[in-house]
Amino acid sequence: MPATLSSTNRRALSGVLSATVGLLAVMVVAAESADDLKPPVGYRNWFHVNTMIVDKASPLFAALGGMHNVHVNPVGEPALKAGGPYPDGTMFLTDLHDFAVVDGSYVEGALKGLALMEKDSKKYAATGGWGFQFWAGGDPAKPAVTDATKQCFECHQPQKAQDYVYSTYIP
Amino acid sequence: MPATLSSTNRRALSGVLSATVGLLAVMVVAAESADDLKPPVGYRNWFHVNTMIVDKASPLFAALGGMHNVHVNPVGEPALKAGGPYPDGTMFLTDLHDFAVVDGSYVEGALKGLALMEKDSKKYAATGGWGFQFWAGGDPAKPAVTDATKQCFECHQPQKAQDYVYSTYIP
């Protein structure tokens, strides 16, 4: 993975995220533990917000390639439907999976990692009230985010009007 | 939509479904009401089984194109993880959405319809114990399945070893 997003990638990311979901930039830089967040359990029973596939044709593929399944916990679900803002305790969890193309269809593969945005307006005041983390393979021992501002928040900042969340409610 | 699947499409469908999910053939033929099934509510809070996109390059695009988000209800969730068989009351619900390709990424669009497989081994004994329905736009007044054997079960029959379900548990 590249250590930072190029300006081209930032533009492409902006385009993709404007169209649908966020929670992605956390995957860009791999480093050591930011130990205050833990991978949540039961997220596949949370409300399914949307799915996005970053395909090989995307300039973001090297950093963000895969199928992104986005879920929101019960705390944040009403706020998602209202377009934000989100109460403390809200969690957006993306399970990132590999994918394969079979006869022109994109099918889900193995888990690549878990990305979390968790709202705590005081604790994470410096990053819009959101804590960010990404765990490679979903392994709690493999957090990838050490500088949430650079690795995550810089790309979420343009979404201030939606409480820094790219995802919107799609009925 | 074509009235039936061509042999080419059947082969392609088999390939796609073997790779991931089922519940698709219900969408092939549009007709009148099969009024014993109703669209479930709350399915986006059920366990998210997987997502598949049938893209324009697929021979199935005309009939099945879109993003298929598959969910299973709490009755069937343990059986999914065990590889089947499924108890009566199990429901698999696919919400089918449009998609767009933005800078090489596939992003979710508007709802196209809801596809349901519901298990009742006695009531639906003629179709492997499963009832099938598809509602255009998710509208209860627009069911599309009138002959579940031809429209649905014929393509699920090869999956008898998995209780006629194509989807498998992807951790």
Side-chain angles (χ1 to χ4, degrees):
Chain A
M1 291 188 188
T4 58
L5 282 173
S6 69
S7 61
T8 300
N9 281 356
R10 283 184 191 279
R11 281 194 300 276
L13 179 63
S14 175
V16 167
L17 294 179
S18 295
T20 49
V21 309
L23 315 185
L24 303 176
V26 292
M27 302 164 55
V28 174
V29 182
E32 293 174 0
S33 174
D35 59 11
D36 58 335
L37 293 170
K38 305 292 177 194
V41 296
Y43 56 84
R44 279 169 73 167
N45 290 93
W46 295 354
F47 186 82
H48 178 240
V49 178
N50 62 50
T51 288
M52 174 174 72
I53 296 176
V54 178
D55 197 8
K56 291 185 172 62
S58 169
L60 301 173
F61 182 76
L64 306 175
M67 178 184 288
H68 300 244
N69 299 314
V70 184
H71 314 266
V72 66
N73 72 354
V75 175
E77 184 182 328
L80 172 76
K81 292 172 180 172
Y86 293 90
D88 282 359
T90 293
M91 290 191 269
F92 280 92
L93 188 290
T94 296
D95 62 77
L96 175 67
H97 282 255
D98 275 322
F99 66 88
V101 184
V102 180
D103 291 333
S105 290
Y106 287 70
V107 300
E108 187 166 333
L111 183 68
K112 295 182 73 175
L114 300 177
L116 177 66
M117 273 179 82
E118 183 170 337
K119 186 80 181 280
D120 184 325
S121 51
K122 291 184 181 175
K123 191 173 186 179
Y124 305 115
T127 48
W130 293 96
F132 297 85
Q133 190 50 274
F134 177 82
W135 294 274
D139 184 344
K142 297 180 179 172
V145 173
T146 52
D147 185 338
T149 299
K150 288 188 177 174
Q151 292 173 252
C152 310
F153 188 58
E154 283 185 2
C155 283
H156 283 265
Q157 221 156 2
Q159 288 302 105
K160 186 176 180 182
Q162 291 182 193
D163 200 4
Y164 306 104
V165 172
Y166 278 96
S167 287
T168 57
Y169 175 54
I170 304 169
Chain B
M1 292 189 184
T4 58
L5 283 172
S6 69
S7 60
T8 299
N9 281 356
R10 282 183 191 280
R11 281 194 300 274
L13 179 63
S14 174
V16 168
L17 295 178
S18 296
T20 48
V21 310
L23 314 185
L24 305 176
V26 294
M27 303 165 54
V28 175
V29 183
E32 292 174 1
S33 174
D35 60 11
D36 57 338
L37 293 171
K38 304 293 177 193
V41 296
Y43 56 86
R44 280 170 71 168
N45 290 93
W46 295 354
F47 186 82
H48 178 240
V49 178
N50 62 49
T51 287
M52 174 173 73
I53 296 176
V54 177
D55 197 8
K56 292 184 171 60
S58 169
L60 301 173
F61 182 76
L64 306 175
M67 178 184 288
H68 300 245
N69 298 315
V70 184
H71 314 266
V72 66
N73 72 353
V75 175
E77 185 182 327
L80 172 76
K81 293 172 179 171
Y86 293 90
D88 282 1
T90 293
M91 289 191 269
F92 281 92
L93 188 291
T94 295
D95 62 78
L96 176 67
H97 282 255
D98 275 322
F99 66 88
V101 183
V102 181
D103 291 333
S105 291
Y106 287 70
V107 299
E108 187 166 332
L111 184 68
K112 295 181 72 175
L114 299 176
L116 177 67
M117 273 179 81
E118 182 170 337
K119 187 79 180 280
D120 185 324
S121 51
K122 291 183 180 175
K123 192 173 185 180
Y124 305 115
T127 49
W130 293 96
F132 299 84
Q133 190 51 272
F134 177 82
W135 294 273
D139 184 342
K142 296 178 179 175
V145 173
T146 52
D147 185 338
T149 298
K150 288 188 177 174
Q151 292 172 254
C152 311
F153 188 58
E154 284 185 2
C155 284
H156 282 265
Q157 221 157 2
Q159 289 301 103
K160 187 176 180 182
Q162 291 181 193
D163 201 3
Y164 307 103
V165 172
Y166 278 97
S167 286
T168 57
Y169 175 55
I170 304 169

